[in-house]
Amino acid sequence: MRTLSYRTLLLPLVVAPLLLTGCSSDDESGPATSDASSSSESAAEAAAEADAEKKDTFCTEVPDLLSDIAGDLEGFQADPQSAPALLDDAVERISAVEPPADVAPEWQRLVTAWTGMRDLIAQADLTDPSANTGLAPQLQTLQTELIDSGTAVDDYGKANC
C-alpha cells in the first residue's frame, strides 16, 4: 500500500514562493445513543467499523489524490496565472476527504493550511512580484503550519497505511 507523500503534502510551499517572488469537512456526528447497553455496544461497533472503512479509504485513495494534485500544481510554472484556480481545485478536493478519527485533527490542520495558501495566492499580484512583499509574514506562518501538519499526516500514513 502506498503511503502519503510528504513532498505532495507540502507542494504549496513550492508554489507560493515562486509566485510571490515572480519566478516563472468535518462530520462530527457521533453514533446514536440509547438507554439499552446492547444498543450502545452495537452503535460503538458500527462506529468502529465505519472508522476502519474510513481508514482503508484514506490509506488507499489519499496518496493517489495527492499525487494527482501534485501533478496539476506542477503545471503552474508554465502558466503562473493558473495557480489560484489550481489551488482552489486542490483545496476543494482535499476538503472532501473524510479522514479516520485518529488523523482527523491533523488532516483538518493540513486542509486549513492549504486553504490559507490558496487565499494568500489569491491576494498576490501575480504580474508584479514586488507588490507582494507584504505577504511574506503570512507566507512564513503558512509554511510552518504546512510543514507541521504535513509531517503529522505523513507520520500517520507511515504508521497506519
Side-chain angles (χ1 to χ4, degrees), residues 25-26 65-66 69 72-73 83-98 107-108 110-112 114-116 118-119:
S25 107
D26 276 336
L65 170 68
L66 293 174
I69 289 171
D72 293 345
L73 289 176
L86 291 171
L87 282 168
D88 191 47
D89 180 62
V91 167
E92 184 177 316
R93 292 169 70 190
I94 65 171
S95 294
V97 171
E98 291 187 37
W107 185 258
Q108 186 54 51
L110 185 66
V111 170
T112 299
W114 274 69
T115 301
R118 177 203 59 197
D119 296 347

Side-chain angles (χ1 to χ4, degrees), residues 14-153:
V14 175
V15 174
L18 290 175
L19 291 173
L20 295 177
T21 60
C23 295
S24 284
S25 107
D26 276 336
D27 181 8
E28 295 294 324
S29 60
T33 58
S34 75
D35 294 331
S37 63
S38 63
S39 294
S40 295
E41 289 173 10
S42 61
E45 290 171 2
E49 189 173 306
D51 200 56
E53 288 178 25
K54 281 184 182 181
K55 178 181 174 184
D56 289 343
T57 301
F58 187 82
C59 290
T60 302
E61 295 180 6
V62 167
D64 290 336
L65 170 68
L66 293 174
S67 179
D68 289 347
I69 289 171
D72 293 345
L73 289 176
E74 287 173 358
F76 87 93
Q77 290 176 322
D79 180 17
Q81 300 295 325
S82 69
L86 291 171
L87 282 168
D88 191 47
D89 180 62
V91 167
E92 184 177 316
R93 292 169 70 190
I94 65 171
S95 294
V97 171
E98 291 187 37
D102 50 347
V103 74
E106 292 83 359
W107 185 258
Q108 186 54 51
R109 283 180 55 212
L110 185 66
V111 170
T112 299
W114 274 69
T115 301
M117 188 64 68
R118 177 203 59 197
D119 296 347
L120 181 68
I121 295 301
Q123 294 175 33
D125 180 348
L126 301 178
T127 61
D128 181 11
S130 65
N132 299 320
T133 57
L135 300 177
Q138 292 173 339
L139 176 61
Q140 186 174 7
T141 299
L142 284 169
Q143 286 175 327
T144 300
E145 185 57 15
L146 280 165
I147 290 168
D148 292 349
S149 61
T151 299
V153 170

